[in-house]
Amino acid sequence: MKINNLPKLEKLNELLEYDINNGNLIWKKDLKGGVKKGQIAGYLKKMRNTTYRMVRMNGKLYAAHRIIFKMHNNTWDECGLIDHIKTYPIADNRIENLRVVNNSQNLKKQLPQKNRTSIYKGVSFNTKLGKWTSQIQLNGNRIHIGVFEDEVIAAKSYDVKSVELFGVYANPNFPLDDAE
């Protein structure tokens, strides 16, 4: 999906109000196409494994979280992406759940591929060894973490390395307090 440049902040503030309690954008006035003052702006659109709220203005489609970030911060960081800390199953657009990330940080949240041999991210079964291996990628380079008898231990070793490399942008298999 093409990412459209956002309208000017003045235009966004003229048309929309941000509800800080639930993360919704509310129309401030009636518009063409049946838009009524007080309605929640936009519609829900499923993309990959998450549902995002999309808002149409002047014939262009915008992700609500990008609008919200611009309105709340009175700016837009063109160099970064706006990421949801929690997304599943519906993206939470409250401002405390939004952050600026680079592409590498954003990709850390991808779900594992469907054709994997393990249910855990970063873990695969090595048929030659008859054991579980754990690995992670950093800047396009694969880092071998270890070989393990147990799939869960391999997954937890991935989690520890993920937190070490990516900090708050890590996407562990288990809650952080369980990864150690």
Side-chain angles (χ1 to χ4, degrees):
M1 182 176 85
K2 180 182 178 239
I3 297 177
N4 292 313
N5 289 331
L6 292 171
K8 293 189 182 291
L9 185 60
E10 298 77 28
K11 187 67 172 175
L12 294 175
N13 286 325
E14 174 191 330
L15 296 175
L16 297 164
E17 177 181 339
Y18 173 63
D19 185 337
I20 198 161
N21 296 315
N22 59 28
N24 286 326
L25 291 169
I26 309 297
W27 292 111
K28 285 185 172 179
K29 57 186 181 181
D30 294 348
L31 299 172
K32 294 180 191 173
V35 171
K36 299 290 181 198
K37 178 181 177 178
Q39 277 183 333
I40 295 174
Y43 63 93
L44 297 176
K45 181 177 182 178
K46 184 157 176 78
M47 295 190 307
R48 295 176 213 80
N49 297 308
T50 303
T51 302
Y52 295 93
R53 183 163 291 279
M54 305 301 291
V55 178
R56 187 171 298 281
M57 287 188 288
N58 300 325
K60 293 184 179 177
L61 198 57
Y62 305 96
H65 63 279
R66 293 180 65 232
I67 295 170
I68 290 164
F69 189 87
K70 182 172 183 173
M71 290 176 70
H72 189 268
N73 293 289
N74 297 321
T75 186
W76 171 248
D77 181 4
E78 295 294 345
C79 297
L81 300 168
I82 305 303
D83 177 52
H84 292 86
I85 297 167
K86 296 178 185 170
T87 57
Y88 192 78
I90 297 176
D92 178 354
N93 284 334
R94 290 175 297 151
I95 196 65
E96 62 267 20
N97 192 50
L98 302 177
R99 62 185 174 187
V100 177
V101 296
N102 61 35
N103 193 50
S104 178
Q105 292 164 331
N106 197 40
L107 291 174
K108 296 298 163 230
K109 291 176 59 181
Q110 283 186 335
L111 294 175
Q113 294 181 345
K114 300 229 184 281
N115 63 348
R116 63 196 187 272
T117 56
S118 172
I119 62 170
Y120 300 109
K121 187 174 182 180
V123 176
S124 59
F125 189 74
N126 185 317
T127 52
K128 288 182 182 177
L129 297 174
K131 296 182 180 185
W132 297 96
T133 61
S134 183
Q135 59 188 8
I136 195 166
Q137 284 199 345
L138 176 65
N139 299 326
N141 297 316
R142 188 173 293 161
I143 299 170
H144 177 76
I145 299 169
V147 178
F148 305 89
E149 297 283 341
D150 184 79
E151 182 182 19
V152 173
I153 293 172
K156 288 185 177 187
S157 72
Y158 169 89
D159 291 356
V160 169
K161 190 68 168 180
S162 178
V163 170
E164 175 188 318
L165 294 174
F166 306 114
V168 297
Y169 300 102
N171 186 23
N173 292 296
F174 302 101
L176 291 178
D177 45 337
D178 289 352
E180 299 169 16

